[in-house]
Amino acid sequence: MSTKKEKIEILEKKNAESLLGGGEARIESQHKKGKLTARERVELLLDPGSFEEIGKFVMHRCKDFGLEKQHFLGDGVVTGYGTVNNRLIYVFSQDFTVFGGSLSETHAEKIVKIMELAMKNGAPLIGLNDSGGARIQEGVVSLGGYADIFYRNTLASGVIPQISAIMGPCAGGAVYSPAITDFILMVENTSYMFVTGPNVVKTVTQEDVSAEDLGGASTHSTKSGVTHFSCANEVECINNIKALLSYMPQNCEDDAPMVAYESNGDEKVKALNDIVPENPNQPYDMREVIDGLVDPQSFMEVHKNFADNIVVGFARIGGRSIGVVGNQPASLAGVLDIDSSTKGARFVRFCDCFNIPLLVLEDVPGFLPGTDQEWNAIITNGAKLLYAFSEATVPRITVITRKAYGGAYDVMNSKHIGADMNYAWPQAEIAVMGAKGAAEIIFKKEIAEADDSEAKLQEKVDEYTQKFANPYRAAHRGYIDEVIMPENTRAKLIRAFKMLENKVATLPKKKHGNIPL
Ligand code: HXC
C-alpha cells in the first residue's frame, strides 16, 4: 500500500511527465525548426495563469505496430480553457513532439470534449494545428476521430466563433476542420496545408512543387484565399488571434464588446474631403477612407493579400465593433469579380452570424467582363455576395463614395436588399452604366446619322452624365437617405449605428436558405 506522500509523488510525477510531451529531445527539435511547443503557444495565447487543462493524462488505446509500448500522457494534444483579455475561450493545441501531433481516437476525443463545452457554454474555440495527420497506426479509428471533429465544427458554425491557426503541417483530410472554421491564420515558412502533398502531386500530375509553394502561407493568402492571415512568426499569429477576438462576441446570442469611447464633440474629418479625385477614372485607396471614418488605429484588415479589389476587415466606430466591406478603386478600379465576391460574401456572413453591424463603402464600376469570369461562374459567385447582404439582419449602412453602377449597385448593400441607411457623397455616380457606354447604346442611330458623330457622341455623353452621373436621381426616390459631405460622414455613422443598435429583423421561417455555392 502506498502512503499518502507516495500517492502525491505519483501525481507530481505524472504532471511533470505530461508537461514534457514527447520529451526534451523532441522539444529541442521543435525549437530548432523555429516552432514553439503546444504548451508555449497556449501560454502565449491566454491571460497569464488562466489556463485550466482538461485531459492531461489521457493515453491512446492502440495495441498495434508496437504502439502499446509507447505512451505519452495527453496523447499529442493540449486541451482546456482560459481567458483572453478576461474573456473565456476554449483551446486545443496539437503537440508535434508526440507522434508528430498525429490524431488518434483519444486525441480526437479530447478535442471533441472541449468543442462540446465551448458550444454549451457559448465561448470561442481556438485550434492551434501542428500535426502529421491521421495516426497511421490506428487506421480507420483515426479517420472516425476526424469526422467527429468536422461534424462538430459544422454544428458550431454560426453558434460560436471558431479560429484555426496552422503552425506546422496540416495535410490530407485534416485541412477540412480549419476550412469549416471562421478564420484561418498561417505562419510563414513553418506551416503548410494541402489535400495531397508534393509527392502525390508529382505522381498524379507530374508537377514539381515544394510544400511551401503548394500550400504555404504565402500561397494560401494570395492565390487560393484559404487563409485569412499570413503571419511572419508564431508570436504575430497569436497576437492576431487575440486582436480578432476583441471584435467578436462570445457567441451568436451575444453582442460584440463595446470599447470605451470619448468623443471630443467634433467628429469632422476634413481630410476625407480630399480623397476622391476630381477625375472619376483616377484611383484612390479605400483604406484611406476607412482610416478616416473609423476610430484611430482600429481597422484590422482580413484577407489582405487576396482579391484586393475588395477590402474587408473589422474596425470600431465610436467604440462599437463593425465589419467594413469596401470596393477598392486602387485595384482593378474596384470591380467585382469571382474572388472579391466570395471574399466579401464570406465576411458579410461571419458578421451577420455574430451580430456585428456592417459598413459598406461603395465605389464600383460593375462586374468584371470576360470569358475567364463567365466560364468560372461569376454568375454563381457574384450571387453569393448579393445573397449574403440580402439575408443579413444586422444593422447595415452604405456610403457611396463614387461609382455605383449596374448590378453592382444593387449588390453592394443597396436599400432595395435591406440596407438600413444609405448615404452618398456629392461626387457619387449612380446609374445603370457609364455615360459613354450608355450614350453609344441609346443614341446609336442619332450618333450614326449626325454629320459629326464624335461631337454628337460627346453631346449625348454630357447629357447622360448630367442626368445620371450624380446621386440625386437616387436621392429623389429615397434610395439614398442623404447626400452628405465626406467630412461629416464619421459623425453621421456614429449616430446611425447607435440609432440602429436595437434593430430587430427576421427572415421568413425556413430550415436554412440555399446560398449559391
Ligand atoms: C503517426 C506520425 C505521423 C502520423 C508523423 N509521425 N506523422 N506518427 N502517424 N501520421 C511521427 C513520426 O513517426 C516521428 O516519430 C514524429 O512523428 C515526427 O515525424 P518526422 O517525420 O520525424 O518529422 P518531420 O521530418 O518534421 O516530418 C513531418 C511530416 C512527416 C511531414 C508530418 O512526419 C509525415 O509525412 N508524416 C506522415 C504524414 C501523413 O501521411 N499522414 C497521414 C495523412 S492522411 P518519432 O517517434 O520519430 O518522433 C490523413 C487523412 C486524414 O491525415 C483524413 C481525415 C478525413
Side-chain angles (χ1 to χ4, degrees):
M1 263 284 276
S2 334
T3 63
K4 187 173 165 189
K5 185 164 170 276
E6 283 164 343
K7 285 179 184 168
I8 292 171
E9 278 167 9
I10 290 171
L11 173 63
E12 283 168 353
K13 197 162 154 271
K14 281 189 183 292
N15 272 330
E17 188 185 327
S18 135
L19 291 183
L20 270 185
E24 300 278 10
R26 292 192 184 89
I27 290 176
E28 205 185 315
S29 150
Q30 177 86 344
H31 286 157
K32 273 201 184 126
K33 290 180 196 155
K35 292 160 69 180
L36 297 171
T37 65
R39 286 181 188 282
E40 286 164 347
R41 289 166 180 162
V42 170
E43 287 301 320
L44 257 183
L45 174 68
L46 298 177
D47 296 336
S50 72
F51 183 49
E52 291 292 341
E53 189 167 352
I54 298 173
K56 212 179 194 177
F57 299 154
V58 164
M59 295 194 305
H60 70 74
R61 307 180 190 111
C62 182
K63 301 211 171 358
D64 295 308
F65 302 106
L67 232 57
E68 64 280 8
K69 294 191 207 90
Q70 264 189 300
H71 283 282
F72 298 92
L73 294 180
D75 201 30
V77 63
V78 177
T79 53
Y81 65 95
T83 58
V84 172
N85 294 321
N86 294 317
R87 299 165 77 210
L88 175 67
I89 63 129
Y90 292 82
V91 61
F92 71 84
S93 178
Q94 292 180 310
D95 184 350
F96 192 82
T97 69
V98 175
F99 304 120
S102 58
L103 187 129
S104 66
E105 179 187 25
T106 43
H107 178 128
E109 282 170 1
K110 285 181 70 176
I111 295 177
V112 163
K113 192 190 263 184
I114 62 147
M115 291 177 93
E116 291 187 341
L117 279 169
M119 282 179 74
K120 278 188 246 173
N121 294 289
L125 174 76
I126 313 297
L128 308 178
N129 296 262
D130 187 0
S131 164
R135 178 86 48 89
I136 294 167
Q137 297 90 332
E138 292 204 3
V140 70
V141 172
S142 166
L143 299 186
Y146 269 118
D148 290 338
I149 294 169
F150 303 157
Y151 179 57
R152 281 161 186 83
N153 281 135
T154 308
L155 296 183
S157 179
V159 179
I160 50 169
Q162 300 181 86
I163 300 175
S164 303
I166 315 299
M167 306 179 113
C170 183
V175 296
Y176 288 113
S177 169
I180 297 170
T181 64
D182 298 302
F183 295 101
I184 300 181
L185 302 91
M186 290 182 75
V187 180
E188 286 157 24
N189 304 314
T190 50
S191 74
Y192 53 81
M193 292 178 86
F194 35 67
V195 172
T196 47
N199 293 341
V200 178
V201 169
K202 172 85 183 152
T203 313
V204 178
T205 71
Q206 279 80 52
E207 288 169 291
D208 263 317
V209 63
S210 67
E212 184 64 24
D213 277 353
L214 184 62
S218 142
T219 298
H220 283 314
S221 60
T222 58
K223 289 192 169 78
S224 70
V226 163
T227 190
H228 301 82
F229 297 90
S230 173
C231 312
N233 52 53
E234 295 194 11
V235 175
E236 186 181 302
C237 177
I238 286 184
N239 285 340
N240 276 334
I241 297 175
K242 293 189 207 184
L244 262 180
L245 285 169
S246 74
Y247 295 95
M248 298 175 189
Q250 292 290 89
N251 57 62
C252 64
E253 291 185 22
D254 190 19
D255 286 325
M258 282 285 283
V259 166
Y261 173 75
E262 285 274 328
S263 169
N264 62 5
D266 179 13
E267 300 291 356
K268 255 193 202 329
V269 185
K270 291 261 186 214
L272 285 169
N273 294 337
D274 303 324
I275 296 176
V276 178
E278 185 76 44
N279 174 355
N281 297 321
Q282 200 175 314
Y284 62 93
D285 189 348
M286 191 59 94
R287 290 192 193 95
E288 283 182 36
V289 176
I290 297 170
D291 286 339
L293 291 176
V294 304
D295 298 350
Q297 278 86 52
S298 73
F299 183 53
M300 181 177 189
E301 191 166 349
V302 173
H303 247 155
K304 191 177 189 167
N305 304 314
F306 179 71
D308 57 7
N309 41 333
I310 202 162
V311 179
V312 303
F314 297 104
R316 292 191 185 85
I317 188 156
R320 184 184 309 276
S321 199
I322 57 167
V324 183
V325 179
N327 306 116
Q328 174 55 291
S331 171
L332 293 172
V335 78
L336 282 174
D337 59 1
I338 292 169
D339 286 348
S340 59
S341 299
T342 314
K343 169 177 163 178
R346 180 110 179 115
F347 184 74
V348 166
R349 293 199 106 209
F350 176 82
C351 292
D352 191 48
C353 283
F354 293 106
N355 311 319
I356 300 173
L358 286 163
L359 170 62
V360 175
L361 302 171
E362 179 170 1
D363 186 346
V364 60
F367 281 94
L368 183 64
T371 50
D372 176 63
Q373 290 290 305
E374 295 293 349
W375 294 348
N376 286 296
I378 180 62
I379 297 175
T380 313
N381 288 286
K384 286 177 186 158
L385 187 57
L386 172 58
Y387 191 108
F389 275 128
S390 297
E391 75 167 356
T393 56
V394 288
R396 289 155 53 187
I397 301 180
T398 302
V399 179
I400 301 177
T401 58
R402 191 167 61 180
K403 294 174 190 168
Y405 279 114
Y409 157 74
D410 282 341
V411 170
M412 288 300 293
N413 202 36
S414 63
K415 190 66 114 193
H416 321 275
I417 60 168
D420 298 295
M421 293 298 293
N422 295 65
Y423 298 105
W425 285 358
Q427 274 173 272
E429 305 168 13
I430 307 171
V432 173
M433 63 199 295
K436 186 158 178 284
E440 280 168 352
I441 294 170
I442 52 182
F443 303 112
K444 189 175 169 184
K445 209 160 157 236
E446 228 177 300
I447 292 166
E449 286 167 359
D451 294 336
D452 183 346
S453 302
E454 284 289 306
K456 194 71 183 171
L457 173 64
Q458 194 51 52
E459 180 196 317
K460 292 298 176 191
V461 168
D462 291 344
E463 189 184 329
Y464 193 87
T465 306
Q466 193 63 26
K467 276 206 174 116
F468 291 110
N470 63 60
Y472 299 106
R473 288 273 170 149
H476 295 329
R477 292 255 168 195
Y479 300 164
I480 294 296
D481 296 298
E482 194 180 355
V483 181
I484 56 177
M485 281 298 291
E487 64 179 22
N488 297 329
T489 309
R490 175 173 159 78
K492 296 266 178 198
L493 291 176
I494 291 175
R495 283 190 175 184
F497 277 121
K498 176 141 186 57
M499 177 272 285
L500 293 166
E501 71 185 354
N502 295 322
K503 176 182 174 184
V504 178
T506 48
L507 297 172
K509 188 174 176 327
K510 59 176 100 172
K511 189 173 173 197
H512 59 72
N514 189 11
I515 189 166
L517 294 174

